[in-house]
Amino acid sequence: MIRRHPLLQLLAVALLLPFSFTTNAVGQPPNIAFYYGHEAPIGSLMAYDWVVLQQDQASDARVDLLAGASTAPIAYVSVGEMARSHRLFGSLQKSWLVGKNPAWSSAVLDLRNPDVRTFLLDNLIDPAFKRGFQGVFLDTLDSFTLAASGEAQTQAFAEAQTQLISDIRARHPNGKIILNRGFHLPDSVIGQVDGLALESWRNGYNAKEKLYYKVSETDRQWLDKQLQRWREARPDMPMIAIDYVADASRAGELAGQLRRDGFVPWVANPALDRLSPSQPAQVKRHVLVIHDLPEFNMDRSAAHRFGGIVLERSGFIPQYHSALEPLPTEPTEDRYAGILVWWETGDRHSGLCSWLARQQDKGVPVVLMGLIPGNPACSGVMAANRTAVPAAPLSHERVHPSVTHYEGRRLPSLTTQAMPQVEGHTPWLTITDAQGQRFSAIYTHGGGGVASAPFLFETGPDDEAYWLFNPFEFIQQAYGAPAMPVIDTTTENGRRILTAHIDGDGFVSRGEFPGSPLSAQVIQDEILSRYEVPHTVSVIESEVSPKGLYPGASAEAERIARALFRMNSVEVASHTYSHPFFWQSIEGGPAPRLENTLYGYFMNIPDYQASLEREIEGSVRYINQRLAPADKPVSVFLWTGDARPGANALKRVREAGLVNVNGGNTKPLPYASELAETWPDARPVGDELQVYAPVMNENVYTNHWTGPYYGFRNVTDTFRILEDKGRLKPMGIYYHSYSGTKPEALGALHEIYQYALAQPVTPLYLSDYAKRVQTLYYSALLRDDDGSWRWRGIGQPHTVTIEQDQFPDLERSTGVAGFHDVAGHRYVHLTGDSPQLFLTDTAPEGPSLAHANGVLTQWQRQQVAGKWRIILGLQSHQNVEFTLAGTRRCTTSDNSARISRTGEQVQVALSGRQTDSLTLECQ
């Protein structure tokens, strides 16, 4: 019988958090993960209540973000032995070692020596807690038996381990302690720990023979006998069973059996880098996106620029990987709904296709887009008999109705690229060459799909790109994913989100108006004081500070900044110290030569060399100390220049407690690209996340501020296109302070604000939008046995979209207020800390929320004496307005409410911007 699994003996530190056998927030037994890898998307780990991680495999971001998602991290610590390869092995004294474990090239530690225990506390356990781990998982407690006289010294080692556990509890009274076995420990330990794990209750793994096996009944009875005193003493303590199966498809069945046996299950592979089924079950939303550019240029790849938004709006979360880096070594079938490969450079190796074929064999669908490879290994991934270059001219058979009817209209009449010949597939576009050979340019098949260049886009003379088919339908069909609620970042309670934010550039520039006021004063007087829209306003420290570039204007600039930041409709943001133009270069990445830049690397500040600390923490400190009200510090950091921050910059912003925004390049226009010019919501950088601006700013609409200066008014065309394409983005009004210098630019701003406020919108701060994007990426979707949907992660979704043949079941759901059909989608309104969504094919009876111009803070609905009683709370940046569907008449005791009716809908308007608990009687 295997007494402990080799990976549970790994000696790096990992993390996890406490648990109890009481039900958790969603009414289910806890899910505890033992994940010793590093490739799993962080969102997929948020399905679990606690996660044990190897410390050297977990980034600081992963530790912090998991904790923020109520997924507690626990550090793995080997206390009985240490590998010779461990970074601390050289610090051990020879007298501390009492034996060897040749199987793992490790040395057994003499825990009877107080110096050894102190060493472990000071160098492994305390640092784990300092990093943010909320507990420790103590492994290799029985390694002392490998020492020459270890068995004879069991009591002495047990006493030493008991002392170590007491010392951990004394140093970290709120930390959790989980043991691997420890059956030899005295009863006094049981009250000090928070969980007990064991391996191989039903299925085990023999590391020496590399064989999986079924545990005999005799061995299981022995284990059960060891557990008896622990169960009797602590019936509330979770007992964790770690079992092993080779076939991931069997993990769910085994996990269910272990739960019935009374355990919290983790069903793993020997490396413990495969995710175990959770309860409720996690729905796989992540897609592994492979591009062929260097990793630092991921955001320049077609996979990101064109594919990102398609995946996001289809309910998937892209996890990017460069084909120039080593291929993933961990399982894919446990975490990915599919794989997308988008080739651009022609550098395509058969090794990648062989790896893709293995993933397909495990049931992971693979979609290939772009330049399709012609080697045999890749033909198998495409389900193709062969590939060849068709002879021109080409004729086309448009099989799917969206081909040439989505955006682009003209198909290429020739291609120099190899095309696949396929049978047994679902064709979208078939081509026939001059020799009568038939090829499939776009199709799906049982293992995924193919969309080959040059049949993705119709291109224009200025690099415009128009999709030749509907990529949303293509992706859904290729992955064959079941219908699921999709987290939405564009809509709040049925209305389109409206944000407004101002980069601080030009704050001290003089406006071309009487008296030559500072542009910031013009913006305050003409825009911020006039329009009922929450604004995110920033400054560049070196522009406004008395120690900056314009000391003569500083006093006036700081006075205006203080007045701006005091406004109730303004949240405070930093736009850095020196406005860096190339963020990756600050972290040692590439940058153009100085003579090839427009403005240099940052503003021309004498004797200054850009640093992340000065740009981020330093600028925030300046604003908080000199400009921002004491009760309203900086909450947003707005990227400058190329807006391509590296992981360290993103980490600093996150650790400062700020959200970050800017970057991307969303600017679809009628005379340019449309969907192809719509970037995704965010750019993942490891476990960090950059949130892109919803829509680009006036600089790109005015030819980089060379004119016409009224050009930004064309952003209303962008807003319309994004809505017509299926509400791909919120309405984001984004500009610089220098828009207050030109009368034409100011006139354009008035047009934009008036257009936006004439639409049904819910104005939100930019930080609120950024948090919704974070929830999209940092969350797990769960499906319970009763068919309901839940989410775990950082925040809860406010809006999800569902299929239009489904409805929210308002009787069974909690935290669900209603739905609204607009822009080709059905938006469902959620509220509360833990909404639970049931779906039905029948429209709800009685009143429900159709749409509102604020954030829902309370929703109750019940039938009383033949009438419906609605209690709701709303917070808005305008006077509250909302519409109830499914009712013809409502009354309320609030005399300020104005109520009107249109058909089966009732409109309610209040005189204030907030109502905590408004009661209505409806029929």
Side-chain angles (χ1 to χ4, degrees):
M1 177 173 116
I2 299 177
R3 300 184 63 182
R4 46 180 197 278
H5 186 278
L7 265 257
L8 290 177
Q9 297 181 31
L10 283 180
L11 309 156
V13 185
L15 48 263
L16 176 82
L17 151 43
F19 39 74
S20 68
F21 230 143
T22 57
T23 58
N24 62 15
V26 295
Q28 295 292 339
N31 293 287
I32 302 171
F34 291 76
Y35 174 66
Y36 292 176
H38 67 278
E39 296 175 359
I42 186 172
S44 64
L45 298 178
M46 292 175 177
Y48 307 99
D49 299 277
W50 311 282
V51 180
V52 176
L53 302 170
Q54 293 284 355
Q55 187 177 14
D56 61 351
Q57 298 285 339
S59 66
D60 290 341
R62 181 157 292 205
V63 175
D64 293 345
L65 291 165
L66 287 174
S70 298
T71 293
I74 300 280
Y76 172 95
V77 182
S78 174
V79 297
E81 58 187 68
M82 181 173 287
R84 296 184 181 277
S85 60
H86 194 280
R87 60 182 175 82
L88 294 176
F89 187 83
S91 302
L92 301 178
Q93 298 181 23
K94 290 185 179 180
S95 62
W96 296 357
L97 310 180
V98 293
K100 298 179 180 179
N101 186 347
W104 304 106
S105 187
S106 59
V108 178
L109 303 177
D110 188 356
L111 286 180
R112 296 170 300 179
N113 188 330
D115 292 340
V116 174
R117 299 196 297 271
T118 299
F119 180 86
L120 293 174
L121 285 163
D122 292 346
N123 294 280
L124 287 177
I125 294 170
D126 287 354
F129 280 100
K130 186 175 182 180
R131 278 191 66 192
F133 299 94
Q134 299 176 1
V136 288
F137 172 58
L138 305 182
D139 193 24
T140 61
L141 290 167
D142 54 358
S143 291
F144 68 88
T145 59
L146 298 173
S149 58
E151 293 282 2
Q153 294 290 318
T154 296
Q155 182 175 349
F157 275 97
E159 291 174 355
Q161 292 170 357
T162 300
Q163 184 61 52
L164 175 63
I165 292 169
S166 297
D167 291 343
I168 297 172
R169 176 62 64 219
R171 292 193 184 194
H172 307 284
N174 297 320
K176 295 296 179 179
I177 303 173
I178 298 102
L179 306 182
N180 185 22
R181 297 202 175 204
F183 298 147
H184 61 286
L185 295 173
D187 291 348
S188 60
V189 168
I190 299 177
Q192 296 192 66
V193 301
D194 303 279
L196 183 69
L198 59 87
E199 297 174 87
S200 308
W201 175 259
R202 288 191 173 273
N203 284 44
Y205 181 77
N206 187 315
K208 184 176 180 180
E209 302 294 333
K210 300 187 185 310
L211 292 174
Y212 294 87
Y213 66 92
K214 285 189 174 296
V215 177
S216 69
E217 187 63 32
T218 300
D219 286 346
R220 193 157 45 250
Q221 289 176 357
W222 182 87
L223 282 171
D224 190 56
K225 184 177 180 181
Q226 308 308 310
L227 292 174
Q228 184 174 352
R229 68 185 177 105
W230 292 75
R231 285 173 168 160
E232 291 175 352
R234 290 285 301 280
D236 61 325
M237 181 188 293
M239 304 291 168
I240 307 155
I242 303 170
D243 274 26
Y244 303 94
V245 292
D247 184 357
S249 66
R250 293 185 52 227
E253 177 185 357
L254 178 56
Q257 181 61 59
L258 293 172
R259 286 193 186 276
R260 290 190 292 274
D261 291 342
F263 292 99
V264 176
W266 185 256
V267 180
N269 60 345
L272 274 83
D273 58 8
R274 189 180 70 204
L275 303 182
S276 178
S278 62
Q279 178 61 37
Q282 179 172 192
V283 178
K284 290 179 284 190
R285 298 187 304 141
H286 292 88
V287 169
L288 180 62
V289 180
I290 299 177
H291 60 93
D292 52 4
L293 299 185
E295 193 61 49
F296 68 86
N297 268 341
M298 177 277 288
D299 56 327
R300 298 295 187 254
S301 69
H304 179 68
R305 293 185 295 121
F306 303 142
I309 187 66
V310 175
L311 290 171
E312 288 175 348
R313 295 299 174 261
S314 299
F316 301 115
I317 305 303
Q319 180 88 355
Y320 297 97
H321 184 88
S322 171
L324 305 181
E325 301 293 327
L327 290 168
T329 59
E330 296 179 17
T332 59
E333 68 274 16
D334 61 331
R335 62 199 66 171
Y336 292 121
I339 298 172
L340 169 63
V341 183
W342 198 314
W343 277 297
E344 297 180 76
T345 66
D347 185 13
R348 304 176 297 280
H349 302 290
S350 60
L352 172 57
C353 284
S354 297
W355 180 85
L356 292 170
R358 293 195 295 273
Q359 310 319 306
Q360 280 182 321
D361 291 342
K362 297 174 185 177
V364 182
V366 176
V367 172
L368 304 183
M369 302 184 81
L371 299 174
I372 300 303
N375 62 61
C378 295
S379 294
V381 176
M382 296 186 289
N385 300 324
R386 62 185 291 266
T387 60
V389 177
L394 307 178
S395 60
H396 313 92
E397 181 183 356
R398 302 163 179 81
V399 181
H400 192 274
S402 73
V403 175
T404 69
H405 291 91
Y406 185 69
E407 286 185 344
R409 297 289 184 264
R410 297 178 299 174
L411 292 166
S413 60
L414 60 87
T415 179
T416 59
Q417 302 297 321
M419 292 286 117
Q421 294 181 313
V422 193
E423 296 179 358
H425 63 302
T426 302
W428 280 48
L429 172 63
T430 301
I431 59 177
T432 303
D433 73 355
Q435 299 173 0
Q437 299 182 96
R438 289 174 61 83
F439 301 86
S440 295
I442 306 170
Y443 62 95
T444 62
H445 58 91
V450 174
S452 54
F455 298 96
L456 281 76
F457 302 105
E458 177 187 349
T459 57
D462 295 317
D463 295 325
E464 299 93 344
Y466 304 95
W467 281 90
L468 284 166
F469 59 96
N470 187 325
F472 300 97
E473 293 183 14
F474 174 77
I475 285 293
Q476 289 286 357
Q477 187 180 109
Y479 288 140
M484 59 183 173
V486 175
I487 295 178
D488 178 80
T489 61
T490 71
T491 303
E492 186 79 12
N493 290 321
R495 297 192 178 193
R496 194 174 180 184
I497 291 171
L498 170 64
T499 66
H501 75 285
I502 307 172
D503 286 353
D505 311 45
F507 197 96
V508 297
S509 298
R510 294 290 174 181
E512 298 174 2
F513 302 96
S516 300
L518 293 189
S519 61
Q521 187 69 65
V522 176
I523 295 296
Q524 180 181 16
D525 294 343
E526 292 291 329
I527 303 298
L528 274 66
S529 299
R530 182 174 298 191
Y531 297 106
E532 288 186 322
V533 174
H535 285 82
T536 304
V537 179
S538 67
V539 297
I540 302 170
E541 179 185 345
S542 63
E543 275 201 0
V544 300
S545 166
K547 298 180 181 180
L549 294 173
Y550 310 103
S554 174
E556 184 179 4
E558 287 195 327
R559 177 187 58 77
I560 295 170
R562 294 186 188 102
L564 283 168
F565 293 155
R566 285 196 299 268
M567 296 180 70
N568 292 331
S569 61
V570 168
E571 70 175 357
V572 184
S574 170
H575 201 43
T576 75
Y577 169 68
S578 74
H579 197 288
F581 292 100
F582 304 100
W583 278 91
Q584 293 186 16
S585 68
I586 305 179
E587 299 187 30
R593 294 174 62 89
L594 182 60
E595 59 266 28
N596 295 329
T597 68
L598 287 175
Y599 312 107
Y601 298 125
F602 44 86
M603 297 176 74
N604 188 21
I605 301 172
D607 302 319
Y608 174 67
Q609 181 62 45
S611 72
L612 292 180
E613 194 284 331
R614 187 65 187 87
E615 298 295 339
I616 298 171
E617 291 97 326
S619 67
V620 170
R621 189 164 51 246
Y622 160 76
I623 295 171
N624 286 340
Q625 291 177 353
R626 291 186 61 90
L627 305 179
D631 60 348
K632 190 169 41 168
V634 173
S635 59
V636 182
F637 193 86
L638 299 175
W639 301 111
T640 60
D642 65 357
R644 302 177 69 202
N648 288 335
L650 288 161
K651 175 184 176 181
R652 285 177 177 271
V653 171
R654 175 180 51 78
E655 291 182 343
L658 313 178
V659 298
N660 78 90
V661 183
N662 273 356
N665 197 30
T666 294
K667 57 177 194 313
L669 287 166
Y671 49 83
S673 304
E674 296 189 355
L675 178 57
E677 204 67 26
T678 305
W679 282 49
D681 287 346
R683 167 182 168 246
V685 181
D687 287 331
E688 304 288 0
L689 189 71
Q690 175 188 359
V691 178
Y692 286 148
V695 176
M696 283 306 290
N697 55 56
E698 87 282 37
N699 189 55
V700 299
Y701 287 84
T702 59
N703 298 307
H704 302 290
W705 200 240
T706 61
Y709 295 110
Y710 56 77
F712 192 33
R713 67 187 183 188
N714 292 328
V715 76
T716 59
D717 290 329
T718 295
F719 295 160
R720 280 188 284 266
I721 290 170
L722 293 169
E723 182 78 356
D724 293 343
K725 291 291 182 186
R727 190 170 287 180
L728 298 176
K729 293 281 184 176
M731 260 189 275
I733 305 175
Y734 167 30
Y735 54 100
H736 300 82
S737 295
Y738 56 66
S739 274
T741 64
K742 302 286 186 182
E744 306 97 309
L746 189 63
L749 285 178
H750 284 300
E751 288 186 41
I752 295 163
Y753 277 89
Q754 290 163 12
Y755 169 85
L757 291 172
Q759 315 303 313
V761 295
T762 297
L764 294 179
Y765 280 120
L766 187 67
S767 62
D768 293 323
Y769 165 73
K771 291 171 185 175
R772 283 153 178 75
V773 175
Q774 289 176 338
T775 298
L776 171 66
Y777 274 78
Y778 292 141
S779 64
L781 173 63
L782 306 176
R783 184 82 185 273
D784 214 336
D785 291 339
D786 59 10
S788 65
W789 303 88
R790 304 174 187 266
W791 294 264
R792 278 185 54 89
I794 293 181
Q796 286 288 325
H798 288 232
T799 302
V800 296
T801 59
I802 60 176
E803 298 293 314
Q804 292 197 287
D805 60 353
Q806 296 180 316
F807 300 89
D809 187 331
L810 299 184
E811 293 300 312
R812 303 178 67 196
S813 300
T814 56
V816 180
F819 69 95
H820 186 54
D821 292 341
V822 66
H825 295 291
R826 176 159 292 164
Y827 296 92
V828 178
H829 324 317
L830 308 180
T831 188
D833 295 332
S834 184
Q836 180 183 21
L837 174 62
F838 286 90
L839 297 177
T840 177
D841 57 6
T842 304
E845 295 183 0
S848 64
L849 184 65
H851 53 85
N853 68 346
V855 176
L856 196 62
T857 59
Q858 182 183 182
W859 175 264
Q860 298 179 43
R861 188 185 91 132
Q862 64 183 84
Q863 246 183 326
V864 179
K867 294 183 179 181
W868 290 94
R869 176 175 296 165
I870 303 293
I871 303 175
L872 61 79
L874 279 167
Q875 291 182 346
S876 179
H877 293 278
Q878 305 168 324
N879 286 344
V880 169
E881 297 176 356
F882 63 91
T883 296
L884 298 177
T887 181
R888 298 176 63 86
R889 183 174 183 273
C890 292
T891 59
T892 179
S893 58
D894 187 337
N895 295 327
S896 70
R898 302 189 308 277
I899 300 177
S900 59
R901 179 175 68 85
T902 304
E904 295 292 323
Q905 292 191 337
V906 168
Q907 294 83 31
V908 180
L910 305 180
S911 59
R913 299 185 176 189
Q914 177 175 331
T915 177
D916 294 325
S917 184
L918 178 69
T919 300
L920 299 104
E921 301 286 344
C922 300
Q923 57 188 23

